[in-house]
Amino acid sequence: MTNEEILRQKLASACHILAKEGHSDGVLGHLSARIGPDRFLMKPRGFGLEEVSAEDMLIMDIECQKIVGKHKPHNEVPIHSEIYRARPDVQCVIHTHPFYSIAFSATGEEIKPISHEGCLFWPGVAHFTEMTDLIVTKEQGRLLAQCLGNRRAALMRAHGIVVVGQSIEEATYSAICLEKAAQMQLMVMHGRQYFYTSDEEAPVKQKRIFSPHIIDEQWKYFLRKWGEKVID
């Protein structure tokens, strides 16, 4: 398989996994993977995360133009193009509408390292509050990319999440962890008092639990769990 074929299959598997891990929202939500400095694969519009295939993936350029593909692109291509433009380190961008993360975004609270999953996002996630509508222009995409900064994820108030990674595997696992961390914090935050990992211990724990080796093992677990093809 060529590198593009491998990325197509991994991106489709990531879509399927996220759909089954609480990120499905009809035909909404989209993932992309960089295939060059100014080009990226992207899920097309009109398909649910759970039903898209490797062959369905589009090739888009950094100016939001479709290069290859028989389907239409999502309106929110600027989310992806502007993050790739701003973050050369990013190889995968995920934008979905998971239930608990959206609910958590309404609180204005910071994600705390209550659980292992919360530690992944220490020292916190960005909060995009400029707008709640779709991100359909390059300027809106730039605002989101600026808000994200060098963080792993952003909560988009009353909208959804953006999660990035240096690989499809890393971004996918991070998106799963963000939804779990949001759900857990919502369960405890209205109590009188709750505890979480200290700022001193969180980065140590983060490095230990979320090493590239662990992320690879978790990715393969989710492939097996949901019957996806394992590609080494």
Side-chain angles (χ1 to χ4, degrees):
M1 297 178 71
T2 66
N3 185 58
E4 181 185 319
E5 290 172 334
I6 291 172
L7 288 176
R8 282 178 175 271
Q9 186 58 57
K10 284 187 176 182
L11 196 60
S13 292
C15 288
H16 303 163
I17 289 168
L18 287 175
K20 294 168 182 175
E21 292 291 329
H23 292 250
S24 181
D25 186 18
V27 298
L28 305 181
H30 30 88
L31 286 67
S32 67
R34 194 194 293 266
I35 57 173
D38 298 318
R39 293 190 177 190
F40 51 94
L41 292 168
M42 185 174 174
K43 171 193 171 287
R45 68 182 299 171
F47 294 87
L49 292 172
E50 70 278 6
E51 61 180 352
V52 73
S53 71
E55 293 74 24
D56 292 324
M57 299 300 174
L58 311 176
I59 296 180
M60 306 294 299
D61 70 17
I62 204 74
E63 301 303 329
C64 302
Q65 298 301 307
K66 184 175 74 171
I67 305 301
V68 175
K70 58 184 178 179
H71 304 296
K72 294 180 180 180
H74 283 272
N75 292 332
E76 291 189 307
V77 177
I79 289 177
H80 304 262
S81 64
E82 297 311 309
I83 290 175
Y84 286 130
R85 196 190 303 272
R87 292 278 300 272
D89 61 305
V90 167
Q91 301 300 314
C92 180
V93 176
I94 293 171
H95 171 58
T96 56
H97 307 144
F99 182 89
Y100 293 103
S101 295
I102 294 174
F104 187 84
S105 75
T107 70
E109 296 283 337
E110 296 295 330
I111 290 285
K112 300 291 187 182
I114 293 171
S115 61
H116 292 342
E117 292 81 9
C119 282
L120 175 60
F121 298 96
W122 183 92
V125 302
H127 286 255
F128 184 67
T129 59
E130 293 284 340
M131 55 186 293
T132 66
D133 201 355
L134 302 187
I135 306 297
V136 297
T137 70
K138 292 179 184 179
E139 178 56 31
Q140 292 167 347
R142 280 192 289 270
L143 288 173
L144 177 57
Q146 289 168 6
C147 175
L148 177 66
N150 63 358
R151 299 297 177 96
R152 189 185 297 270
L155 292 168
M156 302 169 69
R157 182 175 292 175
H159 185 159
I161 63 171
V162 165
V163 180
V164 301
Q166 295 184 10
S167 67
I168 294 172
E169 296 92 327
E170 179 186 324
T172 303
Y173 185 50
S174 296
I176 293 170
C177 288
L178 181 56
E179 175 69 347
K180 188 172 181 179
Q183 180 181 7
M184 192 170 297
Q185 190 163 338
L186 282 169
M187 291 175 63
V188 303
M189 65 186 292
H190 296 298
R192 184 174 61 182
Q193 187 177 24
Y194 63 96
F195 302 95
Y196 47 86
T197 301
S198 69
D199 285 344
E200 292 72 30
E201 189 179 10
V204 177
K205 191 174 179 182
Q206 182 187 87
K207 186 175 181 180
R208 188 187 312 279
I209 297 174
F210 298 102
S211 67
H213 176 68
I214 296 297
I215 289 172
D216 181 64
E217 289 184 338
Q218 294 282 21
W219 167 256
K220 290 178 178 177
Y221 161 74
F222 284 110
L223 290 177
R224 296 192 304 270
K225 178 181 179 181
W226 297 116
E228 295 292 320
K229 184 177 181 181
V230 177
I231 301 176
D232 294 322

